[in-house]
Amino acid sequence: NAVQYVNAGTIEFLFEFTSDEIYVCDINTRLQVEHPIIELFTGVDPVEWQLRIAAGEPLPIINQKDVPCIGHAIEARICAENTRKGFIPAVGKVWHHSPPVQPNVGSVPVSHGNRSNAVKTKGECIARVDTGLQTNDVLTVHYDPMISKLIVHAPTRLQAIETLQKSLNSYHLAGIPNNISFLQDCLNHETFRTAGGVDTGFLEREEAYFLRKDCGEGGGMEDEWNVDMLQQNPLSVAVGVFGVLMKLDDRVGVTHKSGPWSNLSGSWRMGGNEGRFRRRLIPLFSEREENASSPLLSTIECASNQDGSYEISIVSHPSSSHKEDNMNENTAVTNPGQTSLYTIQGTFDCDGKMTILIDGTKRMSFIAATNEDEDKSTFDISLWSSSEVNNGCTYSAWNMSFRHPLPAFASSSRDSDNFMLEGDASTERKRSVKSPMPGKIIRLNVTEGEDVKEGDVLLVMEAMKMEHVVRSPLDGIVSTLKLDVGDIVEDGSILAVVEDAIVSGSDDEEKESSG
């Protein structure tokens, strides 16, 4: 009545747990993205209400007591963002998108299976996915990074949490960084699982928990889709290499057949071990340790065995300018020259299920998807642990990119850029500042020749309805800045070059002496 608004809308509140006080934050004369929560929790469809009211009909329910409260519902926003870099939005082509249930058809029953640790369910658990994204769609900077909404409903809160965990385990998304692993971490946290335990300071207090790196020794799998290959366990890399080899040898969807003339026997050749078909894969590193002066390189040698298995050898070695003090203690491959050797055989079904046997003793199952990019001459593979492996409680997913080994894809030289340093490897006193994403320059805080300190704001970009600050990586002088306000820049574009004052000064002296 106060604002003379007659229609269905949404109001956001904050609840102070210690005092039971409720504070109004926002009143929207529209529906928020969380409206499916209302639909599942109450059985009321606010979209229908809006249409009926717009048609002149009265509000269907007047008394709050007539609104039912049924079970518990939780909504997770699946977003294209890099959670380990301050939730920076990501853009690019989504070359694989497989939600846990059919999207845009409403609620779908979800079974918890026969897991011994499953919460006992006395009612139906359902999941729902709302999205407009399809495989091979391209996310751009012109919209926010939300990919989809995953909503679940169950009789109790713990059952709803477990239903959401199971659904996220089955959500397979590849091509861009995303927040699925982060959402799983939230659901696994004891504070989140405690009713009333989460407040607005939850993420800040638990920052160490969310930024932890679980890549330990012993052959464990990774827990982040966009984990850098430099930080991946050798076994994780070997499993991905197996999937790549199966695809390259046209063995996806077929089973092993014995006989020397079968191409399903791993490209058998005469000559015993020495005559085996061999292939070298060159990994492409899309993410680097920002404090490393040079990347840790890996050599991946593959040999086909007559029984259809592959012998995969991963040799880690630092580049010539690598410094020991830049090694990350959590990096899985930490010993220069270390060789990890695996013999892997198995099947790779057309539906993406990959079942493997490692060294004849360890059996594992995964869901895998591959992508061959002819323009970039790359071969990508993404893998997700199946519920049989992780018992439905944790989320393991990782992605790898390789230079495409087939001649038809060898025209691109893009892979050489993956080993270029952001700074001058010899002096480490000259640093190129690159764009963290595609976007628009909305403010320049410095000019060429200006002195800056490490951390000073050089410029501000706008992308996906958010502002992103770009700072100087070191004390020095802005030697290059060829930008204007309003310019559109691509991901990875060089925005500026900052030189140490000593380097810049020596260059000036050389120019004066030559003159």
Side-chain angles (χ1 to χ4, degrees), residues 96-110:
H96 183 77
H97 183 214
S98 177
V101 297
Q102 184 178 354
N104 307 321
V105 297
S107 302
V108 178
V110 176

Side-chain angles (χ1 to χ4, degrees), residues 228-279:
D228 192 333
M229 285 183 67
L230 300 180
Q231 300 170 13
Q232 284 179 355
N233 190 289
L235 177 57
S236 302
V237 178
V239 171
V241 169
F242 172 82
V244 172
L245 296 174
M246 292 287 282
K247 179 70 174 179
L248 292 174
D249 289 343
D250 293 325
R251 296 178 59 188
V252 176
V254 296
T255 55
H256 171 68
K257 295 180 180 179
S258 61
W261 314 120
S262 173
N263 68 335
L264 308 181
S265 294
S267 302
W268 179 87
R269 291 184 176 187
M270 294 179 63
N273 286 339
E274 296 301 322
R276 293 180 298 172
F277 179 76
R278 298 178 183 274
R279 177 180 277 127

Side-chain angles (χ1 to χ4, degrees), residues 12-246:
E12 295 184 78
F13 301 92
L14 276 180
F15 174 69
E16 188 174 27
F17 189 72
T18 56
S19 64
D20 289 343
E21 292 288 338
I22 297 177
Y23 301 91
V24 177
C25 295
D26 195 12
I27 300 176
N28 296 279
T29 56
R30 57 180 175 82
L31 299 183
Q32 297 287 78
V33 295
E34 296 85 4
H35 70 84
I37 293 290
I38 300 174
E39 298 172 24
L40 296 181
F41 177 63
T42 66
V44 171
D45 186 349
V47 177
E48 179 186 354
W49 280 24
Q50 285 192 322
L51 295 175
R52 289 186 178 279
I53 294 170
E57 297 183 18
L59 194 65
I61 298 178
I62 302 297
N63 194 327
Q64 181 66 36
K65 294 181 180 180
D66 295 331
V67 178
C69 296
I70 309 166
H72 291 254
I74 305 176
E75 177 179 299
R77 298 190 192 185
I78 311 300
C79 296
E81 56 189 12
N82 195 321
T83 60
R84 294 185 183 274
K85 291 187 176 181
F87 298 91
I88 293 178
V91 297
K93 180 180 178 179
V94 179
W95 52 262
H96 183 77
H97 183 214
S98 177
V101 297
Q102 184 178 354
N104 307 321
V105 297
S107 302
V108 178
V110 176
S111 171
H112 286 294
N114 297 319
R115 299 202 315 271
S116 59
N117 63 338
V119 177
K120 300 302 180 182
T121 304
K122 294 183 179 181
E124 187 177 51
C125 297
I126 58 176
R128 163 179 166 178
V129 173
D130 294 351
T131 184
L133 184 77
Q134 297 180 357
T135 295
N136 293 326
D137 281 351
V138 177
L139 296 178
T140 70
V141 298
H142 304 297
Y143 302 94
D144 68 46
M146 187 169 70
I147 294 171
S148 66
K149 299 182 295 186
L150 171 58
I151 315 99
V152 299
H153 181 271
T156 70
R157 187 173 184 274
L158 286 180
Q159 290 167 0
I161 289 175
E162 186 168 274
T163 302
L164 185 54
Q165 285 179 305
K166 177 181 175 64
S167 299
L168 287 170
N169 279 347
S170 302
Y171 204 124
H172 303 147
L173 180 66
I176 51 174
N178 59 76
N179 66 337
I180 294 178
S181 176
F182 168 78
L183 295 171
Q184 285 284 31
D185 281 344
C186 286
L187 296 171
N188 283 324
H189 199 285
E190 183 179 356
T191 299
F192 187 91
R193 298 178 73 88
T194 302
V198 175
D199 56 35
T200 54
F202 171 60
L203 295 183
E204 184 177 357
R205 286 195 309 272
E206 301 297 336
E207 181 178 9
Y209 168 81
F210 287 104
L211 295 182
R212 74 196 190 286
K213 295 180 180 178
D214 294 328
C215 305
E217 298 181 358
M221 297 291 115
E222 314 308 324
D223 69 341
E224 181 82 7
W225 180 86
N226 57 328
V227 161
D228 192 333
M229 285 183 67
L230 300 180
Q231 300 170 13
Q232 284 179 355
N233 190 289
L235 177 57
S236 302
V237 178
V239 171
V241 169
F242 172 82
V244 172
L245 296 174
M246 292 287 282

Side-chain angles (χ1 to χ4, degrees), residues 241-420:
V241 169
F242 172 82
V244 172
L245 296 174
M246 292 287 282
K247 179 70 174 179
L248 292 174
D249 289 343
D250 293 325
R251 296 178 59 188
V252 176
V254 296
T255 55
H256 171 68
K257 295 180 180 179
S258 61
W261 314 120
S262 173
N263 68 335
L264 308 181
S265 294
S267 302
W268 179 87
R269 291 184 176 187
M270 294 179 63
N273 286 339
E274 296 301 322
R276 293 180 298 172
F277 179 76
R278 298 178 183 274
R279 177 180 277 127
R280 173 178 292 179
L281 293 181
I282 300 176
L284 303 179
F285 302 106
S286 59
E287 304 282 339
R288 295 185 198 83
E289 292 295 320
E290 295 185 1
N291 65 336
S293 60
S294 63
L296 184 69
L297 308 181
S298 292
T299 300
I300 303 175
E301 302 286 350
C302 313
S304 298
N305 296 323
Q306 187 175 352
D307 63 357
S309 66
Y310 294 103
E311 185 178 284
I312 300 170
S313 175
I314 302 171
V315 181
S316 64
H317 55 89
S319 61
S320 58
S321 60
H322 185 76
K323 293 186 176 181
E324 291 297 327
D325 58 355
N326 282 324
M327 294 286 286
N328 188 315
E329 64 179 2
N330 290 317
T331 301
V333 186
T334 55
N335 297 324
Q338 176 184 356
T339 299
S340 300
L341 181 64
Y342 303 95
T343 299
I344 304 179
Q345 62 184 123
T347 58
F348 191 169
D349 298 338
C350 292
D351 61 2
K353 184 174 182 179
M354 192 167 74
T355 303
I356 62 174
L357 182 65
I358 303 170
D359 296 332
T361 60
K362 189 174 186 178
R363 190 174 299 275
M364 307 181 78
S365 296
F366 305 91
I367 299 296
T370 59
N371 177 61
E372 298 177 76
D373 193 317
E374 186 172 353
D375 294 333
K376 297 180 180 179
S377 295
T378 59
F379 196 113
D380 304 303
I381 183 167
S382 289
L383 301 103
W384 300 267
S385 291
S386 66
S387 58
E388 292 88 351
V389 174
N390 279 340
N391 204 26
C393 297
T394 59
Y395 181 78
S396 295
W398 64 105
N399 177 76
M400 287 173 282
S401 296
F402 301 91
R403 176 197 294 174
H404 205 295
L406 298 184
F409 291 82
S411 60
S412 173
S413 59
R414 174 184 176 272
D415 56 275
S416 61
D417 294 337
N418 287 273
F419 301 102
M420 295 179 63

